[in-house]
């Protein structure tokens, strides 16, 4: 009988990680995500893995976001040498994500060591290096949607479209042992069916055990058209107020959604700003990867873009300017009004958006648009919760800019969408809620019980179940 251990993203949103072990001693790791948010949570990324990395037979990833993939270089550094299975476009994005993360780890360690030296403290080492990331990337094994591959003895995997970001997958695992077949389905991060570019998540009907994400398990997102109208209103008001609009966004997924919508506004004559800055070299590279996989876009959005006669991003949003160097990024801060600035990180825990906050957050004519989930302990969550002051680059900055939260832009399914997807399963398999804060899980558990007469389980970290 196979066993599944719940390691990460258990009653929290980041650090997705689950270990599958069969009676025959086969071990497959599902996800190897980085914890993000408050410092003590991020310090757990340095904790020892609760298994021997060299004993694993395979790693399977649902998608490339760091909270699902970010510890792969560390896993390899500590002895893992097996294959890493993901969809083709996830494999492409993984190179971008892991190399950028490794670069940040090295630079942060260098900066922290210099700071500690002044205090007479020993230096710190990076969580992992660029070399570690390169070694991890050599282990990638791309798999097409709908294809079934044996990733280890007795374990076959099929990826289905999850509609979250490019390449995101629902992971279906068939476990063959002792003459029996058991089926584990992991939702990955399910997409919001209103998200642009992505196709709707694939419905599945057969499983013995289902792991369901619950990031937005407590609520539904606003109607997409209402959200777009609100965004258009914010941009118009910022234009009248004479300030800039700052949008913290994940380089992969959220940025592409925003550029699509801003391009629509431009094509429809509804964009009052004359400058849109994408201040993220990583997001610019992600755009190129997205455009190389346009066959994965939804049919309706491809037709809409084609109908405008725009073949390239430069025609879709001609006022877009991408910045590469730090000098180009700093030059943006001389612009006092009329600019939309999109930059990472998505939860404002670092990156160039923090520097733009330093120059704009205290200005009451400026506007900040928060387009997605902000985890507890992040600067983004502090702003969403209405703080009057924020700690930015070791300085206390007044928050006078207007803060707007647009939940309708989330790339995650809302409560009703989660319930609708899981309701496709026949025979009500064992259901476990993961990848969500406890209060979100409690709300989703109650809603599933009330609407589907189905008891969902909420595991504790380290729990093990038989499959």
């Amino acid at each position: 009988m196979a066993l599944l251990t719940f390691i990460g993203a258990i009653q929290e949103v980041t650090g997705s990680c689950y270990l599958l072990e069969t009676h025959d001693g086969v071990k497959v790791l599902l996800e190897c995500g980085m914890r993000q948010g408050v410092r003590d949570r991020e310090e757990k990324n340095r904790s020892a893995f609760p298994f021997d990395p060299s004993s694993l037979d395979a790693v399977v990833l649902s998608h490339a976001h760091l909270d699902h993939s970010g510890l792969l270089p560390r896993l390899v550094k500590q002895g893992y040498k097996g294959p890493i299975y993901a969809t083709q476009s996830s494999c492409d994005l993984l190179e971008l994500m892991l190399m950028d993360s490794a670069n940040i780890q090295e630079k942060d360690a260098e900066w922290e060591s210099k700071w500690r030296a002044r205090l007479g403290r020993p230096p710190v080492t990076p969580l992992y290096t660029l070399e570690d990331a390169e070694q991890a990337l050599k282990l990638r094994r791309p798999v097409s949607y709908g294809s079934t591959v044996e990733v280890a003895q007795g374990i076959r995997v099929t990826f289905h479209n999850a509609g979250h970001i490019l390449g995101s997958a629902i992971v279906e695992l068939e476990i063959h042992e002792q003459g029996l077949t058991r089926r584990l389905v992991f939702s990955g991060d399910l997409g919001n069916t209103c998200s642009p570019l992505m196709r709707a998540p694939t419905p599945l009907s057969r499983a013995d055990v289902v792991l369901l994400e619950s990031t937005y398990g407590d609520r539904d997102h606003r109607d997409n058209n209402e959200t777009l109208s609100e965004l258009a209103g914010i941009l118009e008001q910022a234009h009248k107020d004479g300030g800039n609009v700052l949008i913290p966004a994940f380089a992969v997924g959220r940025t592409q959604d925003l550029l699509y919508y801003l391009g629509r506004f431009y094509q429809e004559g509804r964009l009052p700003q004359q400058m849109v800055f994408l201040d993220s070299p990583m997001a610019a590279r992600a755009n190129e990867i997205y455009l190389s996989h346009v066959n994965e876009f939804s049919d309706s959005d491809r037709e809409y873009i084609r109908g405008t006669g725009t073949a390239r991003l430069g025609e879709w949003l001609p006022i877009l300017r991408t910045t590469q160097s730090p000098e180009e990024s700093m030059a943006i801060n001389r612009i006092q009004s009329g600019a939309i600035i999109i930059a990472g990180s998505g939860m404002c825990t670092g990156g160039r958006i923090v520097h733009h906050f330093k120059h704009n957050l205290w200005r009451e004519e400026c506007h900040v648009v928060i387009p997605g989930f902000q985890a507890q302990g992040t600067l983004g969550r502090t702003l969403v919760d209405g703080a009057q002051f924020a700690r930015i680059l070791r300085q206390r900055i007044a928050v006078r800019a207007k803060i707007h939260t647009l939940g309708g832009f989330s790339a995650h399914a809302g409560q009703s969408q989660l319930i609708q997807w899981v309701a496709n399963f026949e025979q009500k398999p064992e259901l476990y809620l993961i990848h969500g804060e406890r209060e979100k899980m409690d709300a989703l558990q109650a809603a599933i019980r009330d609407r589907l007469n189905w008891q969902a389980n909420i595991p504790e970290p380290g729990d093990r179940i038989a499959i």
Side-chain angles (χ1 to χ4, degrees), residues 258-276:
L258 288 166
L259 293 178
Y260 172 80
Y261 286 131
L262 293 176
R264 272 186 55 178
F265 288 167
Y266 179 88
Q267 296 292 328
E268 297 165 2
R270 300 168 59 199
L271 188 62
Q273 282 76 15
Q274 296 303 307
M275 297 171 285
V276 176

Side-chain angles (χ1 to χ4, degrees), residues 278-297:
L278 177 56
D279 191 21
S280 170
M282 181 180 176
R285 293 195 297 275
N287 289 347
E288 296 173 1
I289 295 174
Y290 264 67
L291 292 173
S292 70
H293 292 280
V294 292
N295 59 304
E296 293 185 28
F297 291 2

Side-chain angles (χ1 to χ4, degrees), residues 192 194 220-228 230 405-408:
N192 183 348
C194 293
D220 289 330
H221 302 306
R222 292 178 59 196
D223 177 79
N224 188 247
N225 290 327
E226 290 180 8
T227 303
L228 287 175
E230 183 179 358
T405 303
L406 296 182

Side-chain angles (χ1 to χ4, degrees), residues 10-25:
I10 309 303
Q11 300 183 32
E12 63 178 340
V13 170
T14 64
S16 187
C17 189
Y18 317 91
L19 179 63
L20 179 64
E21 302 170 87
T22 72
H23 178 77
D24 297 326

